[in-house]
Amino acid sequence: MRRDVFQAIADPTRRNILISLTSESKNINNLAEQFDMTRQAVSLHVKYLQECGVINIEKKGRERYCNLDVEKIVEVEKWLEPFKELWKIKFAQLDIVLEELKKKPK
Amino acid sequence: MNTTTFKTEEKKLTITRTFNAPLDLVWKAWTNPDFLDKWWAPKPMQSKTKSMDFKDGGSRLYAMVALNGDEHWAITFYKEIMVNSYFKGEHAFCDENAKINTEFPVGKFCNKFITLNESQTTVVRELTYTSEEHLKKMVEIGMKEGTSMIFENLDEYLKSFK
């Protein structure tokens, strides 16, 4: 069964795995250690994420490294949504800067 | 909180937002490097301006710095400025020496500042691209810049699909 992006991110552990992959590519052992899970449990999640197309697995020697496929994650029907979130957050930060500016004496 | 509205028309994306501050302060926050660096990058990323010359023909060279130290450099070219009213220009990705990355498209923007009343200002930011594909690519890049932060807000994002 071909899975989609939403199924990938529906599970909180899978979301956490994806978040940890945003900073760097990791192998199964790294992930198992990081999330205090067995290798088997991590492998199952990783396989699921691979089926969803949101991660790619690269073999480096005996290790398999997981890489995030950001393009796939962005490829949702409302592809603009994350971009909107980004601007909403920037503007929320700007609100704070403006409050500071208002307090300064002219 | 004031809402941000988005409108897409083929190759143009318009972002509108009202701020609870008078125009001169809002203008300052968008055109002064020290203030820009305080809000331009979504946390936990940090905006770092290397140089900025806010005038017709001037530019701002800056980086978005990730938590792990990765720097993503970009440059904003200022083409036309009418103080306290609007400023137009172009935006491109580059390296720390302002060498443009020709792999990515250059986007045009126009930021308009409108007084709503003495304590509120509306900013209308128009982004224009050469094609819809180009716009999607810019969005993707913008997404990559804020990816880790966005995933932290994933719960909120998912709710919008229910």
Side-chain angles (χ1 to χ4, degrees), chain B residues 72-138:
Chain B
H72 304 274
W73 290 88
I75 185 160
T76 302
F77 295 104
Y78 302 111
K79 298 282 176 190
E80 205 182 303
I81 298 172
M82 181 162 321
V83 180
N84 287 338
S85 179
Y86 69 85
F87 66 96
K88 295 183 185 178
E90 291 178 346
H91 181 271
F93 292 99
C94 59
D95 69 11
E96 61 181 0
N97 296 310
K99 179 158 175 258
I100 309 282
N101 183 338
T102 51
E103 243 183 73
F104 297 117
V106 171
K108 286 187 167 58
F109 71 85
C110 175
N111 297 327
K112 289 190 189 125
F113 296 75
I114 303 155
T115 299
L116 203 59
N117 55 59
E118 61 184 29
S119 57
Q120 288 187 305
T121 308
T122 299
V123 177
V124 179
R125 179 172 168 86
E126 263 174 23
L127 302 170
T128 311
Y129 299 92
T130 53
S131 65
E132 211 196 339
E133 271 314 302
H134 178 169
L135 172 53
K136 282 190 176 176
K137 184 98 194 156
M138 292 303 288

Side-chain angles (χ1 to χ4, degrees), chain A residues 4-32:
Chain A
D4 63 25
V5 173
F6 297 104
Q7 286 172 300
I9 57 182
D11 175 278
T13 304
R14 287 200 290 271
R15 284 208 290 279
N16 288 328
I17 291 174
L18 288 173
I19 289 170
S20 85
L21 291 174
T22 56
S23 53
E24 56 178 342
S25 147
K26 296 197 167 133
N27 66 34
I28 307 283
N29 282 330
N30 296 152
L31 289 170

Side-chain angles (χ1 to χ4, degrees), chain A residues 69-82:
Chain A
D69 189 336
V70 181
E71 278 190 331
K72 181 72 184 179
I73 291 166
V74 174
E75 189 203 288
V76 289
E77 203 190 1
K78 293 181 186 178
W79 54 268
L80 211 43
E81 283 306 317

Side-chain angles (χ1 to χ4, degrees), chain A:
Chain A
M1 173 176 62
R2 258 207 76 79
R3 305 185 196 274
D4 63 25
V5 173
F6 297 104
Q7 286 172 300
I9 57 182
D11 175 278
T13 304
R14 287 200 290 271
R15 284 208 290 279
N16 288 328
I17 291 174
L18 288 173
I19 289 170
S20 85
L21 291 174
T22 56
S23 53
E24 56 178 342
S25 147
K26 296 197 167 133
N27 66 34
I28 307 283
N29 282 330
N30 296 152
L31 289 170
E33 251 176 61
Q34 186 177 348
F35 293 105
D36 196 20
M37 290 171 81
T38 61
R39 269 190 65 102
Q40 294 96 306
V42 171
S43 288
L44 280 173
H45 281 299
V46 164
K47 182 161 182 282
Y48 197 101
L49 288 171
Q50 198 184 9
E51 283 167 8
C52 293
V54 296
I55 64 171
N56 301 308
I57 302 192
E58 207 187 310
K59 259 196 151 152
K60 284 187 187 165
R62 290 177 64 194
E63 294 295 338
R64 287 155 68 227
Y65 278 84
C66 303
N67 297 306
L68 201 61
D69 189 336
V70 181
E71 278 190 331
K72 181 72 184 179
I73 291 166
V74 174
E75 189 203 288
V76 289
E77 203 190 1
K78 293 181 186 178
W79 54 268
L80 211 43
E81 283 306 317
F83 181 77
K84 293 182 187 179
E85 281 309 306
L86 184 60
W87 275 97
K88 283 183 197 173
I89 286 159
K90 285 164 68 154
F91 287 151
Q93 291 174 179
L94 175 50
D95 283 336
I96 295 170
V97 172
L98 288 169
E99 286 307 309
E100 278 173 26
L101 274 171
K102 284 200 283 194
K103 285 183 189 141
K104 284 188 179 179
K106 292 235 164 150

